[in-house]
Amino acid sequence: MEKNTLFILFLGLQLTCYGQSPNISYDTPQNYSVGVAITPLTPTNTGGVVPATIYGQVTTLAGSGSWGANDGIGTSASFNSPYGLTLDAIGNVYVADYGNHKIRIITPTGTVSTLAGSGIAGATNATGIAASFYYPHGVAVDALGNVFVADYYNHKIRKISALGVVSTFAGSGAPSSTDGMGTGASFHFPAGITIDGFGNLYVVDYASHKIRKITPSGVVSTLAGNGTAGTTDGIGTAAKFNYPYGIAVDNSGNEYVADSSNHKIRKISSSGVVSTFAGSGIAGSLDGLGIAAGFDNPTGIVINTNGNIYIADRSNSKIRIISPAGIVSTLAGNGMSGMDYDVSIGLEAIFNQPRGIAVDAMGTIYVADTNNHKIRKISTSGYTISPALPVGLVFDATTGTISGTPTATILATMFTITAYNSSGSSATTISLETSVLGTKTFNNQQIFSIYPNPTNNELFVKSSTDEEVNYS
């Protein structure tokens, strides 16, 4: 049996397991005694399986962290300012290796090789490394394994066939924004590119401030944007963009655009209506709902199967999420640009001007960490808890289990636990209380616990009749 067939069968089994959202619950409330090890508290899940990964954990898939052009495995390979990313149906990651003028491929096991590009800037059509690109930006792959490249400085859309043959699919090479057929059309620094289920390509024509569409037969038209920088919402060419960069399309035919210099995420409906989906238009990093949120030069954008939108928020060095309802939050990144540890989690992670972003069938996010010259992975499965547990209790983010020995008292407190898999999430609340185990008697009753009143520091007791009285 072919390796690809085995991978697809394995993926199918995984999707069967994770094809529905989790549905978790816990026994609650729980009353624990300080200094006494608790019986581990585990969730009951009647929904889809939650993979044993840590939600928001960031790891390096490939790249040494120093610029270079070496093929190899994982961190033994090197990139030079990777920009665009995409994945095919069997989990291969395609990278527009901007500074190397190459298109690289990373297998699911982390082996990096060069798909096409000599490494010298040019516009030569040929096979594999005999071809040349000129600072490629975006990449997209169709169902047949053809890779399309937004060849930025060549002002062209190039095609790499499944056999590695590179050709010019659209664009004359002259910097302009003429609609037309194939090489009769023109682009002006094409950046982001994506493909829909019908084989239509959508191209962000960066310097033309337009969104272009290319049919499978090569007909190029303008979907939205009038060519003048601005932030006007409207229908089709009545709308304006300001150096848009990334683009993604959902299952309903709506396009979402990372409108970089407007610091917004714009939406183009299937009927061509352009609106602002999220972002105030002022550079910032505020989480919030819709236009109350802030971005700073967003570039990469991708949509998962649940309709969640992930953004490479470049100047914030963060990875952001927008829910289908428009709620913006931060998945990973502390907002500082720099080199990260080998493994980090969520808001502790550090990126350096990330540009490209992609998602696989299991919901894992891939990031082109451009100035770190790495391709990073972010898990979106596992468990989270809020607020943090009291000292002594431990939360296992891979299983949702609470264990340990409490060392401090707390009154009954509500904790929210959320389970995530590739199909969605499930949240539940539990009540936990920790108190001091007593051996004295009060009113001729054995004292089971003593705990402080947080408002006045008086002590209260809970007795064998569950009576709660002042013990001061």
Side-chain angles (χ1 to χ4, degrees):
M1 186 178 289
E2 294 290 337
K3 177 176 67 175
N4 288 355
T5 304
L6 285 170
F7 185 91
I8 291 170
L9 288 174
F10 175 68
L11 181 63
L13 289 172
Q14 287 184 313
L15 291 175
T16 299
C17 294
Y18 307 138
Q20 57 179 322
S21 300
N23 183 25
I24 63 168
S25 61
Y26 289 79
D27 290 334
T28 186
Q30 294 290 335
N31 300 306
Y32 299 131
S33 297
V34 172
V36 178
I38 73 170
T39 300
L41 181 62
T42 60
T44 298
N45 183 9
T46 59
V49 174
V50 178
T53 56
I54 298 174
Y55 182 83
Q57 185 174 73
V58 181
T59 57
T60 296
L61 174 66
S64 65
S66 299
W67 67 269
N70 293 330
D71 290 335
I73 299 175
T75 56
S76 67
S78 54
F79 301 89
N80 188 357
S81 301
Y83 273 33
L85 296 180
T86 194
L87 284 96
D88 64 18
I90 60 172
N92 294 307
V93 181
Y94 297 83
V95 182
D97 197 1
Y98 171 87
N100 282 324
H101 312 289
K102 292 181 177 183
I103 306 303
R104 314 286 291 281
I105 184 171
I106 312 173
T107 68
T109 57
T111 299
V112 180
S113 59
T114 299
L115 177 66
S118 64
I120 300 172
T124 303
N125 288 324
T127 301
I129 61 174
S132 57
F133 300 89
Y134 196 178
Y135 293 120
H137 275 47
V139 283
V141 62
D142 68 13
L144 300 177
N146 300 300
V147 180
F148 295 88
V149 180
D151 199 1
Y152 189 78
Y153 269 87
N154 278 325
H155 311 289
K156 293 180 178 181
I157 305 303
R158 313 285 291 284
K159 177 181 177 181
I160 309 172
S161 74
L163 299 176
V165 178
V166 179
S167 60
T168 300
F169 187 64
S172 65
S176 186
S177 59
T178 304
D179 291 336
M181 180 73 183
T183 56
S186 58
F187 300 88
H188 194 179
F189 293 130
I193 187 170
T194 193
I195 192 167
D196 68 15
F198 301 100
N200 297 299
L201 290 170
Y202 298 89
V203 179
V204 177
D205 206 5
Y206 180 78
S208 289
H209 312 290
K210 291 182 177 182
I211 310 303
R212 316 288 292 282
K213 178 181 178 180
I214 312 175
T215 68
S217 60
V219 177
V220 180
S221 60
T222 298
L223 179 66
N226 69 2
T228 303
T231 188
T232 305
D233 290 334
I235 299 175
T237 56
K240 293 182 180 181
F241 300 88
N242 192 1
Y243 294 107
Y245 192 92
I247 188 167
V249 60
D250 69 15
N251 292 331
S252 299
N254 304 299
E255 291 83 28
Y256 293 83
V257 178
D259 196 3
S260 184
S261 292
N262 276 328
H263 313 292
K264 292 181 176 183
I265 305 304
R266 312 287 291 282
K267 178 181 178 179
I268 308 172
S269 73
S270 56
S271 58
V273 178
V274 179
S275 59
T276 298
F277 190 66
S280 64
I282 300 171
S285 61
L286 186 67
D287 291 337
L289 177 62
I291 60 173
F295 301 91
D296 195 351
N297 291 307
T299 50
I301 182 169
V302 71
I303 305 173
N304 73 1
T305 55
N306 302 318
N308 292 308
I309 302 171
Y310 295 86
I311 308 293
D313 197 3
R314 181 171 66 88
S315 293
N316 279 323
S317 289
K318 291 182 177 182
I319 306 303
R320 314 288 292 281
I321 308 175
I322 312 176
S323 74
I327 299 171
V328 179
S329 58
T330 300
L331 173 65
N334 66 6
M336 298 173 60
S337 295
M339 184 69 75
D340 200 5
Y341 304 102
D342 289 336
V343 179
S344 54
I345 298 174
L347 304 186
E348 299 172 355
I350 301 173
F351 300 90
N352 198 344
Q353 303 284 306
R355 286 182 180 263
I357 192 166
V359 63
D360 68 15
M362 300 307 299
T364 302
I365 303 299
Y366 297 78
V367 178
D369 196 1
T370 301
N371 288 4
N372 279 327
H373 312 291
K374 290 182 176 184
I375 308 303
R376 315 284 293 281
K377 290 174 64 174
I378 309 175
S379 169
T380 59
S381 296
Y383 292 84
T384 61
I385 189 169
S386 179
L389 288 170
V391 176
L393 293 181
V394 178
F395 181 74
D396 187 332
T398 66
T399 64
T401 298
I402 296 172
S403 61
T405 302
T407 61
T409 59
I410 62 166
L411 294 178
T413 302
M414 301 303 293
F415 295 84
T416 299
I417 299 176
T418 306
Y420 301 84
N421 68 13
S422 60
S423 295
S425 62
S426 169
T428 189
T429 56
I430 61 174
S431 174
L432 300 183
E433 175 184 348
T434 63
S435 53
V436 177
L437 182 64
T439 58
K440 299 181 179 180
T441 59
F442 184 73
N443 288 346
N444 296 317
Q445 300 174 37
Q446 185 180 0
I447 298 171
F448 285 139
S449 59
I450 308 172
Y451 53 86
N453 182 331
T455 60
N456 57 19
N457 292 320
E458 292 180 343
L459 292 178
F460 283 78
V461 301
K462 189 170 287 187
S463 69
S464 56
T465 60
D466 208 29
E467 180 184 9
E468 191 174 88
V469 292
N470 191 298
Y471 185 58
S472 58

